[in-house]
Amino acid sequence: MICKLCNEEIILIKAHIIPEGFFRPLRHGSTVPELHSNTTGVLPKRSPIGVYDKNILCEKCDKYLGLWDEYAHKLLIQEFSESNSVYNGSKKVAYQIISYNYEKLKLFFLSLLWRASISSQPFYKRINIGAHENILREMIINGNPGEPYDYAVSLAKFSDPRIKEMLDPHTTRFSGINYCQIYLTGFVLYIKTDKRKPPALLEELCLNRDPPFWIILRDINESKDGKILKTITLKAIKHKREQGA
Ligand SMILES: [Zn+2]
């Protein structure tokens, strides 16, 4: 087997795409989380430890990416709380992260997109970035996060902190500019896969070297995917209550 990062012929391991830690908050007691698609509903496979792929990475390369995975997990899951909220009067208008390492965080997002694209797992089948795969592979190997507009990253978060379920990632467009959209335990990640610069709104709100990193607030009731996630979350909460009773 050939590792898709180091290109060596070597034994491959069970490599996660979205790291396992990001799936952990979805577990409710003994219930195994379901995987969902915003186009086809519930995917047939349940996922106790997230989705892994046995055909992409060797142990050494998986551990290399794992350092950025750990950093992002700490910042976005372990240490992130409602205290990151930004208010205008009494109205929550955004979230922000005031201290972060641009290189590590950006490389996590880039490696996530790259892994989603090279994986042949059904959950990731709607992400296919073609020639960008090789460019990202080089950037990952060299530990090069690029400039803020290179594969510009913007992050949104659903306003309801109970939302942690994930839909399958897919491509999207903002003002005609190509992006990939990846759900991440209540966050929604947008990565530009286009040579043109980001559209005006996302230009202001993309991950930069200088803090803060602004996180767009998304109302679950104002979009199709938000409504789907709300339904799935309420179902999971109800199930958890019934189990506890
Ligand atoms: Zn390797």
Side-chain angles (χ1 to χ4, degrees):
M1 301 288 279
I2 308 280
C3 168
K4 291 187 193 290
L5 190 59
C6 65
N7 266 348
E8 279 173 37
E9 197 173 333
I10 193 166
I11 294 169
L12 303 185
I13 52 123
K14 290 178 178 176
H16 281 83
I17 293 99
I18 291 175
E20 188 185 347
F22 284 83
F23 279 89
R24 225 171 282 139
L26 273 70
R27 276 186 226 157
H28 301 292
S30 58
T31 311
V32 174
E34 288 172 344
L35 293 174
H36 295 261
S37 165
N38 70 345
T39 53
T40 55
V42 181
L43 296 171
K45 208 172 146 191
R46 280 177 180 257
S47 168
I49 53 162
V51 183
Y52 59 79
D53 193 320
K54 291 183 284 187
N55 301 311
I56 55 174
L57 293 173
C58 72
E59 188 176 6
K60 189 183 76 182
C61 290
D62 188 59
K63 281 196 171 143
Y64 174 66
L65 304 184
L67 296 174
W68 301 326
D69 292 354
E70 271 172 40
Y71 178 76
H73 182 261
K74 192 160 176 266
L75 194 74
L76 300 176
I77 305 294
Q78 285 179 288
E79 291 177 355
F80 197 93
S81 73
E82 283 302 296
S83 65
N84 292 70
S85 306
V86 177
Y87 288 89
N88 184 355
S90 60
K91 192 176 173 355
K92 185 157 73 176
V93 291
Y95 290 97
Q96 66 174 0
I97 300 177
I98 50 172
S99 175
Y100 58 86
N101 180 306
Y102 171 80
E103 282 76 16
K104 287 183 188 173
L105 191 56
K106 180 83 181 275
L107 282 161
F108 164 70
F109 292 135
L110 299 185
S111 74
L112 186 60
L113 173 62
W114 178 75
R115 283 177 278 185
S117 185
I118 60 167
S119 173
S120 53
Q121 287 296 307
F123 188 67
Y124 298 101
K125 73 167 190 265
R126 294 202 283 157
I127 296 285
N128 194 341
I129 57 171
H132 293 291
E133 270 182 17
N134 268 333
I135 302 170
L136 285 178
R137 178 178 166 271
E138 288 290 323
M139 290 170 81
I140 291 164
I141 288 172
N142 296 322
N144 167 24
E147 293 305 314
Y149 285 178
D150 301 333
Y151 300 101
V153 166
S154 292
L155 200 59
K157 187 170 180 10
F158 287 104
S159 52
D160 186 334
R162 294 175 303 175
I163 302 289
K164 295 190 169 65
E165 313 291 327
M166 295 184 243
L167 298 172
D168 55 339
H170 54 84
T171 52
T172 188
R173 278 177 173 212
F174 294 105
S175 309
I177 310 289
N178 296 305
Y179 273 79
C180 287
Q181 176 167 345
I182 303 177
Y183 297 86
L184 208 56
T185 328
F187 293 95
V188 188
L189 167 67
Y190 305 100
I191 305 187
K192 181 169 69 76
T193 48
D194 200 304
K195 282 196 174 130
R196 293 168 288 176
K197 69 176 203 172
L201 173 72
L202 294 180
E203 188 179 355
E204 290 292 320
L205 297 170
C206 81
L207 176 62
N208 235 294
R209 290 181 192 277
D210 300 317
F213 180 23
W214 288 100
I215 297 171
I216 302 158
L217 193 66
R218 280 194 57 186
D219 189 323
I220 50 170
N221 297 309
E222 283 177 359
S223 58
K224 188 183 157 208
D225 60 350
K227 285 177 190 158
I228 295 170
L229 284 165
K230 185 180 167 186
T231 307
I232 300 167
T233 301
L234 292 177
K235 195 177 135 197
I237 290 170
K238 185 167 169 264
H239 196 89
K240 193 181 176 186
R241 269 206 211 107
E242 285 166 0
Q243 277 202 325

